[in-house]
Amino acid sequence: KYGPKYFLLVAFLINTIACAFTPLAAEHLGSTGVIFCRLIQGLGQGFLYPSVHCMLGRWIPTEEIATMGNIISAGNIYAFTRLITLIYN
């Protein structure tokens, strides 16, 4: 009844709302507010990877699924390492 696109939409909405409220929570609640917003973002992100991989399984031909999964994982690793180098340089 509910496809992965609805879970993906809800996960993005949860993450967007929690991200938007992070500065407000930090101002009024301090570090506790930031931790709470990050906790909500983590709960929302728990639906992202399964939804994306389910959609990949439906849209991409069977012989290309592993390649696309690797490209997505490599993109995440690259983004994280790039972020770390930007922070510490």
Side-chain angles (χ1 to χ4, degrees), residues 19-75:
C19 183
F21 279 112
T22 299
L24 187 64
E27 182 179 334
H28 292 288
L29 301 172
S31 61
T32 305
V34 174
I35 291 169
F36 179 74
C37 286
R38 290 296 297 155
L39 178 71
I40 297 300
Q41 284 179 317
L43 292 173
Q45 288 175 0
F47 291 99
L48 287 177
Y49 284 105
S51 297
V52 166
H53 286 287
C54 183
M55 291 173 79
L56 284 176
R58 291 181 181 185
W59 289 349
I60 296 175
T62 307
E63 60 273 0
E64 297 178 10
I65 290 177
T67 303
M68 290 307 294
N70 288 334
I71 289 171
I72 289 173
S73 296

Side-chain angles (χ1 to χ4, degrees), residues 8-23 37 40-41 44-45 48:
L8 192 61
L9 176 66
V10 170
F12 275 128
L13 286 175
I14 289 171
N15 284 315
T16 302
I17 291 169
C19 183
F21 279 112
T22 299
C37 286
I40 297 300
Q41 284 179 317
Q45 288 175 0
L48 287 177

